[in-house]
Amino acid sequence: FPIDITFKSTNPFGWPQIVLSVYGPDFFGHDVVRGYGAVHVPFVPGRHKRTIAMFVPESTSRLQQLTSWFTGRRPEFTDPKVVAQGEGREVTRVRSQGFVTISFNIM
């Protein structure tokens, strides 16, 4: 999807990121999260291709896994900022869920 954005800054600290939240149906037809990922937007003019590693949060116990499978309510982040920030993510259990490739045309 084309996105047209203009940024102006004197400092690249906290440079904008694109956060992806991918959803899809499971075996029972429930809409569940298929992956989260984030990438910094390049600031050098030209065509840039980035591959984003996607991940999914996992339940911490077998009982929670079984319950979420039966109810169709899988673990997911309530705030997309969690994906973009590294703070507090070292204690979150996640599973790799593939890759998404994104292309940027920066002017």
Side-chain angles (χ1 to χ4, degrees):
F1 302 101
I3 300 172
D4 186 12
I5 302 173
T6 304
F7 296 105
K8 181 179 178 185
S9 175
T10 58
N11 182 351
F13 178 77
W15 191 256
Q17 297 182 48
I18 289 184
V19 176
L20 298 177
S21 300
V22 180
Y23 290 85
D26 66 357
F27 182 74
F28 300 110
H30 299 113
D31 202 24
V32 295
V33 67
R34 293 292 183 187
Y36 293 107
V39 67
H40 286 277
V41 176
F43 56 90
V44 177
R47 183 172 175 88
H48 304 276
K49 197 178 218 182
R50 299 286 188 260
T51 301
I52 305 169
M54 303 299 283
F55 61 90
V56 176
E58 283 202 329
S59 300
T60 55
S61 71
R62 294 279 185 207
L63 180 60
Q64 287 176 336
Q65 288 175 354
L66 186 63
T67 304
S68 68
W69 188 80
F70 278 119
T71 62
R73 302 282 304 160
R74 308 257 170 91
E76 59 183 78
F77 296 125
T78 56
D79 187 9
K81 290 180 183 177
V82 173
V83 178
Q85 299 172 343
E87 187 176 318
R89 282 200 21 219
E90 66 274 358
V91 295
T92 306
R93 181 180 285 184
V94 296
R95 176 174 35 96
S96 178
Q97 196 67 13
F99 298 92
V100 171
T101 303
I102 189 168
S103 295
F104 295 98
N105 292 314
I106 307 295
M107 297 191 319

